[in-house]
């Protein structure tokens, strides 16, 4: 059965004060329109982007199919000069290509040393950074990263969650974003931070029968729209047109809650990682019991987790 998508609320001209007072505490996605984002929304044509940052090399994802899957890695990494990449990503059919003439391209900017450095548009794309005014709805010391993204038309990214709050700023082009609440994690067939359900529009319900229970939220981002994605909300992004976007992640938990080695903003908080390790040890210990005992005590453990840790005020 088809679940009707819930439209993500759109709000115009929201001030920082109103965002922090009325919207942020609700922990729900919202599209903010009419914000001052700088000259990027008018300046960033393909020609301007190509000229501004020139021929420095960028590492990109190249996919022969529109739906990219991080679990099966159905794409390849390649390197291109930035100006060549922009022109290719903007084309539908390619004269020069790596895999097929209608391959899709995706850039997710990374730090100089991927293992140690975060993505920061001011460092990786300093000239373009001057055109952007990032809405400062959080304190400066909470800033974690600013990820510059460029996608071919028709490219779809896998469903995943991040552990930090973020703004998805759509600078040019159009994106459809499908979101699922953290509460629906049991229906999303998770592998780490990613969902195994690749096609959210036509899911294989024989393989993923519980997926129908996941409540789908949806919005379309036009140039100049900003989507607030709270931490732990799952999102699946489809670029309906060639487009440029910027993600800004910030730490809304105390800084020491996060894994220091996390440069992408998607490693579970330290306490969560420890809890999962402890749970794995507990489950290993249960294996010492015969099956019926194991089943009984495992169910009791589930009940305890529900009693002690589940929220009961979800709307």
């Amino acid at each position: 059965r088809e679940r009707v998508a819930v439209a993500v609320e759109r709000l115009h001209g929201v001030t920082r004060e109103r965002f922090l007072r009325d919207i942020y505490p609700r922990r729900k996605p919202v599209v903010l329109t009419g914000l001052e984002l700088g000259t990027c929304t008018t300046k960033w044509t393909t020609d301007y982007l190509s000229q501004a940052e020139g021929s420095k090399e960028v590492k990109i994802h190249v996919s022969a199919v529109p739906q990219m899957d991080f679990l099966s890695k159905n794409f390849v990494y390649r390197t291109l000069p930035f100006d060549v990449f922009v022109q290719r990503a903007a084309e539908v059919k390619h004269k020069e290509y790596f895999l097929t003439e209608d391959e899709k391209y995706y850039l997710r900017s990374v730090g100089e040393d991927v293992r140690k450095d975060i993505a920061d548009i001011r460092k990786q794309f300093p000239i373009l950074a001057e055109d952007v005014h990032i809405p400062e709805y959080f304190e400066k010391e909470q800033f974690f990263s600013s990820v510059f993204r460029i996608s071919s038309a028709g490219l779809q990214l896998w469903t995943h969650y991040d552990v930090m709050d973020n703004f998805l700023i759509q600078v040019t082009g159009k994106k459809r974003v499908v979101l699922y609440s953290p509460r629906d994690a049991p229906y999303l067939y998770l592998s780490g931070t990613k969902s195994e359900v690749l096609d959210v529009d036509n899911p294989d319900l024989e393989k993923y029968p519980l997926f129908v229970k996941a409540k789908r939220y949806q919005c379309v981002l036009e140039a100049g729209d900003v989507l607030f994605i709270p931490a732990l909300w799952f999102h699946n992004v489809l670029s309906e047109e060639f487009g440029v976007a910027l993600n800004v992640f910030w730490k809304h938990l105390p800084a020491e809650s996060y894994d220091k080695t996390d440069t992408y903003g998607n490693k579970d908080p330290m306490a969560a990682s420890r809890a999962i390790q402890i749970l794995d040890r507990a489950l290993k210990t249960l294996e010492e019991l015969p099956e019926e005992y194991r089943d009984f005590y495992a169910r009791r453990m589930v009940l305890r987790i529900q009693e002690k840790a589940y929220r009961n005020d979800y709307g």
Side-chain angles (χ1 to χ4, degrees):
R1 65 201 167 85
E2 189 71 15
R3 288 279 317 238
V4 181
V6 178
V8 174
E9 190 177 10
R10 294 177 71 88
L11 297 171
H12 187 75
V14 172
T15 61
R16 181 181 199 262
E17 292 69 32
R18 187 183 162 206
F19 178 77
L20 292 174
R21 185 188 67 229
D22 301 336
I23 298 162
Y24 199 47
R26 293 193 335 223
R27 312 299 299 154
K28 290 245 177 103
V30 64
V31 179
L32 306 171
T33 65
L35 299 187
E36 178 46 56
L37 299 174
T39 55
C40 55
T41 49
T42 48
K43 268 169 96 170
W44 284 8
T45 61
T46 49
D47 288 341
Y48 173 77
L49 290 167
S50 302
Q51 286 159 8
E53 294 288 352
S55 60
K56 71 164 161 213
E57 303 230 304
V58 287
K59 191 176 183 183
I60 53 169
H61 302 64
V62 182
S63 178
V65 293
Q67 278 170 338
M68 277 183 17
D69 178 4
F70 198 82
L71 295 171
S72 71
K73 296 281 200 298
N74 66 348
F75 52 84
V76 295
Y77 292 106
R78 292 290 181 266
T79 305
L80 278 177
F82 182 73
D83 50 359
V84 175
F85 158 70
V86 169
Q87 297 297 339
R88 279 213 213 170
E91 303 166 343
V92 178
K93 283 266 187 281
H94 311 294
K95 289 190 183 69
E96 292 183 44
Y97 50 85
F98 296 107
L99 306 170
T100 65
E101 61 176 9
D102 53 2
E103 66 194 15
K104 310 281 182 204
Y105 296 89
Y106 172 57
L107 167 71
R108 181 229 188 265
S109 66
V110 291
E112 273 63 41
D113 180 339
V114 133
R115 291 182 304 279
K116 291 198 224 110
D117 303 325
I118 51 136
D120 186 340
I121 189 173
R122 293 166 299 190
K123 291 180 182 160
Q124 286 98 43
F125 299 93
I127 296 162
L128 294 177
E130 288 174 17
D131 302 334
V132 184
H133 179 263
I134 292 171
E136 292 187 355
Y137 287 17
F138 49 90
E139 300 300 326
K140 278 206 168 28
E141 59 272 17
Q142 288 179 286
F143 171 84
F144 175 70
S145 66
S146 50
V147 181
F148 183 61
R149 299 181 191 269
I150 297 182
S151 302
S152 293
L155 183 78
Q156 190 167 9
L157 287 182
W158 54 89
T159 305
H160 68 284
Y161 72 87
D162 301 293
V163 300
M164 293 184 199
D165 289 345
N166 87 80
F167 279 148
L168 171 53
I169 301 166
Q170 191 64 24
V171 181
T172 71
K174 196 160 108 179
K175 275 196 177 101
R176 183 200 76 177
V177 186
V178 172
L179 302 113
Y180 301 96
S181 156
R183 202 184 185 192
D184 282 344
Y187 315 133
L188 297 178
Y189 297 87
L190 296 186
S191 177
T193 60
K194 299 156 191 76
S195 168
E196 290 177 16
V197 186
L198 203 55
D199 191 340
V200 294
D201 300 307
N202 299 291
D204 180 343
L205 294 179
E206 281 191 14
K207 201 170 176 188
Y208 309 115
L210 296 177
F211 185 69
V212 290
K213 293 186 175 187
K215 185 175 179 182
R216 176 181 174 130
Y217 294 78
Q218 189 169 309
C219 60
V220 172
L221 300 181
E222 307 274 354
D225 288 349
V226 177
L227 172 62
F228 168 53
I229 307 176
L232 309 183
W233 272 76
F234 296 87
H235 42 289
N236 176 290
V237 181
L238 169 66
S239 295
E240 296 191 347
E241 302 168 349
F242 164 77
V244 184
L246 184 66
N247 266 112
V248 183
F249 291 88
W250 68 92
K251 302 172 180 180
H252 77 287
L253 302 177
E256 62 274 13
S257 306
Y258 300 101
D259 187 326
K260 298 268 188 299
T261 66
D262 187 3
T263 56
Y264 284 92
N266 59 9
K267 286 191 179 175
D268 292 317
M270 303 292 280
S273 295
R274 287 200 307 275
I276 289 164
Q277 286 166 1
I278 293 164
L279 177 61
D280 285 341
R281 286 204 297 275
L283 292 170
K284 192 99 185 97
T285 308
L286 278 186
E287 287 174 16
E288 295 169 19
L289 292 167
E291 189 179 25
E292 69 182 287
Y293 281 80
R294 193 165 66 226
D295 179 274
F296 174 70
Y297 286 103
R299 287 173 194 276
R300 283 192 58 189
M301 284 165 69
V302 169
L303 287 171
R304 274 196 66 180
I305 290 171
Q306 285 177 338
E307 260 169 51
K308 298 277 187 192
Y310 274 31
R311 281 175 62 177
N312 51 18
D313 61 341
Y314 265 113

